[in-house]
Amino acid sequence: KSILTKREKEVFSLLVENKTTREIAEELNISEKTVENQMGKAIRLLRDYVASHPYTLILFLVLSDIILN
């Protein structure tokens, strides 16, 4: 089960694509404030998840070749 809602995933994926708050808001037809709120909530949820599952982050970093590269 995902810890993020469908909208949070949409906002987060556009953020990862290096889009600005304004670009995300325009693409999803929502306000910039809503984008900021969604990003903040998503980041808090992910932070809390990683804090309670630290090996998940380590595995991700290793598999992404971030740590060992």
Side-chain angles (χ1 to χ4, degrees):
K1 183 180 172 194
S2 177
I3 62 172
L4 300 177
T5 66
K6 180 182 177 205
R7 177 63 84 186
E8 289 164 348
K9 287 179 192 177
E10 291 172 330
V11 169
F12 205 72
S13 68
L14 293 171
L15 178 65
V16 170
E17 291 177 18
N18 207 28
K19 297 210 175 191
T20 66
T21 302
R22 177 172 290 174
E23 291 170 331
I24 295 169
E26 288 174 359
E27 186 164 331
L28 298 178
N29 200 28
I30 57 178
S31 73
E32 289 183 55
K33 184 66 176 166
T34 300
V35 172
E36 292 168 359
N37 289 339
Q38 292 288 328
M39 287 190 308
K41 183 178 176 196
I43 289 168
R44 284 190 302 279
L45 286 169
L46 291 169
R47 180 196 61 212
D48 293 346
Y49 181 83
V50 168
S52 62
H53 301 86
Y55 292 110
T56 302
L57 177 61
I58 294 168
L59 180 60
F60 168 77
L61 294 172
V62 168
L63 293 175
S64 299
D65 213 19
I66 294 171
I67 287 181
L68 301 176
N69 195 0

